[in-house]
Amino acid sequence: IHSCATALKALRDRGYRRIGIALFRLGEQRRSYDYLLGLDQVHRVGFEDVTVVPWLFEQLDLAATEAWVRDNALDAVIALSGQLGRHVITLPSPRGGRVAFAGLSLEKDVPWSGINQHLDEIGAASVYLLRDLLLSGHRGTLPRPRIVLVEGEWVDGTTAPMRTD
């Protein structure tokens, strides 16, 4: 939720006004639509100057992606898929230049804009949680699952520069 809301706010702050969110439908269902809840969150605090177009796709189809970007006159796209991102940044923006891209979970050593999920810290926090459970005598499934959150943060990269128009 936080990652999507952060990416939306960062793109708005950089001057993008027509933003698409492209997500794999099955992945969103498995995560209880958490990324799309980030869209709901920003709309609750005022986001009237930006149009956001969500798209849940069944399988990645670059031609369908291109049509969705074009038909909705998007100037920026948020997604998890690196393959989708590599294609999107080659597309022309209706405002000139190229369509911007923000990744929701940036891969290491990729100079893109988007969210650093701090995957190493998530792994370490998970190990500490497991250690604490074992040391306190817990075995098997817990009656109330524990959730560990390591907050992601926006990274300025090469794929979502500041708009000057």
Side-chain angles (χ1 to χ4, degrees):
I1 298 169
H2 181 266
S3 295
C4 189
T6 299
L8 284 165
K9 290 173 189 173
L11 289 172
R12 182 188 62 185
D13 291 349
R14 283 158 183 72
Y16 298 94
R17 294 295 176 260
R18 295 195 56 85
I19 304 169
I21 302 173
L23 298 163
F24 179 53
R25 181 181 304 280
L26 185 58
E28 272 301 276
Q29 288 172 343
R30 288 179 179 159
R31 284 186 299 277
S32 301
Y33 298 93
D34 281 354
Y35 284 117
L36 287 182
L37 289 173
L39 171 57
D40 292 342
Q41 184 183 61
V42 297
H43 277 143
R44 291 182 198 287
V45 296
F47 218 67
E48 297 82 18
D49 60 332
V50 175
T51 299
V52 181
V53 182
W55 177 41
L56 295 177
F57 55 87
E58 301 299 329
Q59 62 184 29
L60 184 57
D61 177 336
L62 297 181
T65 301
E66 191 168 335
W68 171 69
V69 169
R70 182 186 60 250
D71 294 348
N72 291 286
L74 301 176
D75 58 2
V77 171
I78 298 170
L80 276 168
S81 169
Q83 183 180 4
L84 187 143
R86 283 186 289 282
H87 184 65
V88 163
I89 60 176
T90 68
L91 302 176
S93 169
R95 295 171 61 190
R98 299 282 176 210
V99 174
F101 178 75
L104 286 170
S105 184
L106 295 178
E107 300 169 18
K108 278 189 176 187
D109 303 322
V110 176
W112 291 0
S113 306
I115 304 298
N116 178 349
Q117 295 281 3
H118 301 291
L119 298 178
D120 292 345
E121 290 182 44
I122 291 172
S126 299
V127 169
Y128 289 132
L129 174 61
L130 179 59
R131 176 190 167 273
D132 290 345
L133 290 171
L134 290 171
L135 289 175
S136 62
H138 289 285
R139 300 290 186 268
T141 304
L142 295 173
R144 288 166 303 287
R146 308 282 167 88
I147 297 173
V148 176
L149 175 65
V150 175
E151 195 167 303
E153 64 185 334
W154 177 261
V155 175
D156 279 322
T158 59
T159 59
M162 186 72 71
R163 296 286 315 196
T164 57
D165 54 354

